[in-house]
Amino acid sequence: MPAADHRPGMRGELRDGEVVVGGDARQRFHDASGYGRPLEGDSIACSRVEAAHLLMRGDLEAVVDRSDSHSMGFRAFVEDSAAASDAFPVRFLVYADLRSRGFYLSPAREGWVDAANDVDFVVYPRGKGPGDGEVAYRVRAVGERASVPATALGDRTLAVVDEESSVTYFETEAVSPSGGTEGALPEGVGADLLGDRALAWDPPEALYGALFYGQPLGDRDAASVEALQLSLLEAAYLAARGAVAVDGGYDAVVDAGRAVEGDRFDRRLRAYAALREAGVVPKTGFKFGADFRTYATVSDVEDLGHSERLVRVLPADHAFLQRDLALDVRLAHGVRKEMVFALVPAGDGDVEWLAVHRLTP
Amino acid sequence: MPAADHRPGMRGELRDGEVVVGGDARQRFHDASGYGRPLEGDSIACSRVEAAHLLMRGDLEAVVDRSDSHSMGFRAFVEDSAAASDAFPVRFLVYADLRSRGFYLSPAREGWVDAANDVDFVVYPRGKGPGDGEVAYRVRAVGERASVPATALGDRTLAVVDEESSVTYFETEAVSPSGGTEGALPEGVGADLLGDRALAWDPPEALYGALFYGQPLGDRDAASVEALQLSLLEAAYLAARGAVAVDGGYDAVVDAGRAVEGDRFDRRLRAYAALREAGVVPKTGFKFGADFRTYATVSDVEDLGHSERLVRVLPADHAFLQRDLALDVRLAHGVRKEMVFALVPAGDGDVEWLAVHRLTP
């Protein structure tokens, strides 16, 4: 049913992509409900998305196109707006979803609000509106089939509209891994490359037990040979520091890594090394489909807590597919870890870290 | 420490890729512990993997190469075996892992056991051995970087050795979705294509409420227009059956789908239709990074249980990357759903369904 203060017959006029609403629109729609931007007098200018929402709610009865005077109800205005911009359906659905969650929000159109690039909406804290100068989320609205460059993320909320028009929100932020794992590395532990892994023989106990490199081979209670299985990443990192001695040295390990993973091995090694240098222990994230799970501080593997983060390593120019992002973030959420993407530049330069969380606004 | 019955000095002889062990090896290693295959007398022939395991345990002291009489301990034999076959390290790690879990198992080498293709080991039920004629798992051992064709799966256990040499097991089996969702479709509900989705106007209530097509648009308690948001898959399926009427008909919907997804749209539509025809309701699996979540039986969306399965649609000639498989299966496990892959043939022919579970042997 229409709201009690619904005024049948209220109309907007479509001019240059905006919908101008007169009468007492400023007080009724802007001041009281956060729609549009004030014009002179009591009129406001609404974006198409806002006008469509007012039409859907029955607060506007029609929008009249100034150029040809034809009058549009909700269905016709939605069709007209979708024809005018491919981005309209997705933006409208995000706008409507945030409204239904009790937020006021403004399109981040140039001149409307002070917004950075790559933002579609500025969302105000619940109970606040356009005039209060506070921002809860800067939202970019995309369809699930859109790809979004990693460089456009961080300090943004991504609102993804899936094919059935539900909206999933991802909060993205830059982070800096740091941990407290420390201890001296041994020197020249003998190791063999065996296909896409390595075996270190008779390593000092601390290499595994305190620093958490590798995995012991064999049953611990059998008369087993003392050997430590190392990943090629671990072997390369340790070989570069003289801690393990492999035939052919560091280069042979990196060659073995590149043979099975190509450039990806170099990227992963840079992320691995950056984490170790920050005192964080990266171990394989294979069981979670990630590159690493990480432990901020390890002092004794017998007394190991849960890993805190999952890390996927990507080239810095990576563009995220929303379905892949949803998969990673949902999995991390389910195992109570934080999903972090390591973005590795092609040239020199530091690895950057992007944390992504699911958000329920 | 060596086991009490360890006999120092017991040696094997490497002949043509097998290790022959004499003395009382048949009774000691085969009959009592499931190693090797019996030869004449009390000798046995072990695969390299089995011999390496006996060396690691200290049950064999050395293997002597018949061709040049040089003697190898565990480390030398492992290096020699890895040089002889790239597959050795991964197969050895899987063999050792299953042994440490209390299983006896045999290499599925031709002439050794009666095994189908694509199987590395035949694993016997706990407490059983090679002579008992029972099989618990048919195991294929792969490294995490290997890709495995979908056609090689089903009735197989995949043992994946990750880069740190831990083993993850996936059970694969063919399944047939079936459900009990039924009800007549309406005729000719008017709908508009809006980018990569559709809106149906004034649909009969049962289309959403009983058959679970689409999602209602707008706040339910506002004076909202009655419209149902449909995915392009839903719109195409309904248009093909005359249930919705879109400008340009079914072809226009499929064109819109192909424009945003290419061939993938056709594959997903075939899987979608096969599920609906089987009485199963597929809805988007976006929040789980999948193509669909499915409900076997829906009669009222107000009384909807949890979806039972996640479905990812793939071409039938797809080769699985182990990390992707681990991600999907781990996520499904975490949300208590079954992960199912829909394998869609390029030509005519039925969609096949492959369920994959994590297994702890």
Side-chain angles (χ1 to χ4, degrees):
Chain A
M1 290 297 298
D5 64 350
H6 173 62
R7 181 183 295 191
M10 198 151 188
R11 289 164 169 259
E13 188 180 62
L14 180 64
R15 306 177 187 169
D16 303 327
E18 288 183 0
V19 174
V20 175
V21 188
D24 59 354
R26 175 168 183 159
Q27 176 237 317
R28 176 185 299 272
F29 297 137
H30 180 271
D31 298 349
S33 307
Y35 289 92
R37 68 181 166 91
L39 299 176
E40 282 179 36
D42 287 329
S43 300
I44 60 170
C46 292
S47 68
R48 277 184 178 269
V49 161
E50 292 172 307
H53 198 255
L54 289 168
L55 284 166
M56 184 177 80
R57 293 178 51 82
D59 287 330
L60 275 186
E61 187 181 291
V63 168
V64 178
D65 188 337
R66 192 189 200 185
S67 66
D68 58 10
S69 299
H70 86 275
S71 175
M72 296 176 276
F74 177 60
R75 180 173 178 177
F77 184 69
V78 163
E79 285 176 53
D80 186 73
S81 299
S85 164
D86 288 345
F88 176 82
V90 158
R91 298 180 76 207
F92 173 70
L93 290 167
V94 171
Y95 184 89
D97 188 71
L98 285 164
R99 277 269 172 192
S100 76
R101 293 171 187 271
F103 289 96
Y104 293 170
L105 64 162
S106 298
R109 194 184 290 183
E110 258 181 89
W112 280 50
V113 292
D114 176 29
N117 292 330
D118 300 321
V119 171
D120 291 300
F121 298 111
V122 173
V123 182
Y124 309 108
R126 268 203 189 79
K128 304 282 184 182
D132 297 316
E134 290 179 52
V135 171
Y137 309 110
R138 295 169 198 283
V139 173
R140 175 156 184 187
V142 296
E144 71 161 86
R145 296 170 178 110
S147 72
V148 176
T151 48
L153 297 176
D155 191 26
R156 291 283 176 284
T157 299
L158 205 54
V160 185
V161 183
D162 68 31
E163 62 182 328
E164 286 173 6
S165 304
S166 290
V167 187
T168 302
Y169 296 88
F170 298 115
E171 197 176 23
T172 66
E173 69 177 313
V175 293
S176 299
S178 75
T181 308
E182 54 190 0
L185 291 175
E187 283 184 28
V189 176
D192 296 325
L193 285 173
L194 288 172
D196 61 354
R197 58 204 70 239
L199 268 182
W201 300 93
D202 296 315
E205 203 259 324
L207 190 60
Y208 171 72
L211 297 172
F212 205 8
Y213 288 94
Q215 293 291 347
L217 176 69
D219 300 350
R220 290 188 206 175
D221 47 347
S224 61
V225 174
E226 278 297 321
L228 200 56
Q229 308 168 76
L230 299 173
S231 73
L232 291 177
L233 292 172
E234 292 173 325
Y237 182 80
L238 292 170
R241 283 148 190 82
V244 303
V246 186
D247 270 0
Y250 171 79
D251 289 345
V253 184
V254 171
D255 286 348
R258 287 177 185 157
V260 290
E261 290 187 355
D263 289 349
R264 190 166 161 256
F265 185 78
D266 291 90
R267 279 195 298 275
R268 295 175 74 228
L269 183 54
R270 282 170 72 181
Y272 181 91
L275 288 165
R276 279 280 180 189
E277 296 302 307
V280 174
V281 175
K283 297 295 284 185
T284 180
F286 177 78
K287 283 181 168 41
F288 308 107
D291 285 298
F292 306 119
R293 64 187 198 279
T294 65
Y295 302 82
T297 302
V298 174
S299 56
D300 180 355
V301 295
E302 298 293 325
D303 185 29
L304 199 64
H306 288 289
S307 57
E308 302 93 16
R309 283 175 165 164
L310 296 180
V311 176
R312 182 179 297 287
V313 180
L314 298 168
D317 63 358
H318 178 77
F320 286 99
L321 293 175
Q322 304 313 307
R323 195 171 293 226
D324 294 344
L325 191 60
L327 183 54
D328 279 339
V329 175
R330 186 67 179 78
L331 187 144
H333 180 85
V335 296
R336 297 197 188 112
K337 301 184 196 298
E338 182 177 49
M339 187 72 220
V340 174
F341 297 93
L343 302 167
V344 183
D348 293 339
D350 291 339
V351 177
E352 304 210 343
W353 311 87
L354 182 73
V356 183
H357 311 107
R358 216 165 50 141
L359 177 77
T360 306
Chain B
M1 292 295 296
D5 63 351
H6 173 61
R7 180 182 298 191
M10 200 152 185
R11 289 164 170 261
E13 189 180 62
L14 180 63
R15 306 177 188 170
D16 303 328
E18 287 182 3
V19 175
V20 175
V21 189
D24 59 352
R26 175 167 182 160
Q27 176 236 318
R28 176 185 298 271
F29 297 138
H30 180 270
D31 298 350
S33 305
Y35 289 92
R37 69 180 164 92
L39 299 175
E40 281 179 36
D42 287 329
S43 301
I44 60 170
C46 292
S47 68
R48 278 184 178 270
V49 162
E50 292 172 308
H53 199 255
L54 288 168
L55 285 165
M56 183 176 80
R57 292 178 52 81
D59 288 329
L60 275 186
E61 188 181 291
V63 168
V64 179
D65 189 336
R66 192 189 200 185
S67 66
D68 59 8
S69 299
H70 87 274
S71 176
M72 297 175 275
F74 177 61
R75 179 173 179 178
F77 185 69
V78 163
E79 286 177 50
D80 187 73
S81 299
S85 164
D86 287 347
F88 176 83
V90 158
R91 297 181 76 208
F92 173 71
L93 291 166
V94 171
Y95 184 90
D97 188 71
L98 285 164
R99 278 269 171 193
S100 77
R101 292 171 188 271
F103 290 96
Y104 293 169
L105 65 160
S106 298
R109 194 185 290 183
E110 257 180 272
W112 280 50
V113 293
D114 176 30
N117 292 329
D118 300 322
V119 170
D120 292 299
F121 298 112
V122 174
V123 182
Y124 310 108
R126 269 204 189 79
K128 304 281 183 181
D132 297 317
E134 289 179 51
V135 172
Y137 309 111
R138 294 168 200 282
V139 172
R140 175 157 182 183
V142 296
E144 71 161 89
R145 297 171 177 110
S147 72
V148 176
T151 49
L153 297 176
D155 192 23
R156 292 281 177 284
T157 299
L158 206 54
V160 186
V161 183
D162 68 31
E163 63 183 325
E164 286 173 6
S165 303
S166 291
V167 187
T168 302
Y169 296 88
F170 298 116
E171 196 176 24
T172 67
E173 72 178 307
V175 292
S176 299
S178 75
T181 308
E182 54 191 0
L185 291 174
E187 283 184 28
V189 176
D192 295 325
L193 285 174
L194 289 172
D196 62 354
R197 57 203 72 238
L199 268 182
W201 301 93
D202 296 314
E205 203 260 326
L207 189 60
Y208 171 71
L211 297 173
F212 205 10
Y213 287 94
Q215 293 290 349
L217 176 68
D219 300 351
R220 290 189 206 175
D221 48 345
S224 61
V225 173
E226 277 298 321
L228 199 56
Q229 307 169 77
L230 299 173
S231 73
L232 291 178
L233 292 173
E234 291 173 325
Y237 182 81
L238 292 170
R241 283 150 189 81
V244 303
V246 187
D247 271 359
Y250 170 79
D251 290 346
V253 184
V254 171
D255 286 348
R258 288 178 185 156
V260 290
E261 290 188 356
D263 290 349
R264 187 166 163 256
F265 184 78
D266 291 89
R267 280 195 296 276
R268 296 175 74 228
L269 183 53
R270 283 170 71 183
Y272 181 91
L275 288 165
R276 278 282 180 188
E277 296 301 308
V280 174
V281 175
K283 298 296 283 184
T284 181
F286 176 77
K287 282 181 169 41
F288 307 106
D291 286 297
F292 306 118
R293 65 186 198 278
T294 66
Y295 302 82
T297 302
V298 174
S299 56
D300 180 354
V301 295
E302 298 294 325
D303 184 28
L304 199 63
H306 289 291
S307 57
E308 301 94 15
R309 284 176 164 161
L310 297 180
V311 176
R312 182 179 296 286
V313 180
L314 298 168
D317 62 359
H318 178 76
F320 286 98
L321 293 175
Q322 303 314 307
R323 197 170 292 227
D324 294 345
L325 192 60
L327 183 54
D328 279 340
V329 174
R330 186 69 180 77
L331 187 144
H333 181 84
V335 295
R336 299 199 187 110
K337 301 184 197 297
E338 183 176 48
M339 187 71 219
V340 174
F341 296 93
L343 302 167
V344 183
D348 293 339
D350 292 339
V351 177
E352 304 209 344
W353 311 87
L354 183 73
V356 183
H357 312 108
R358 215 166 50 142
L359 177 77
T360 306

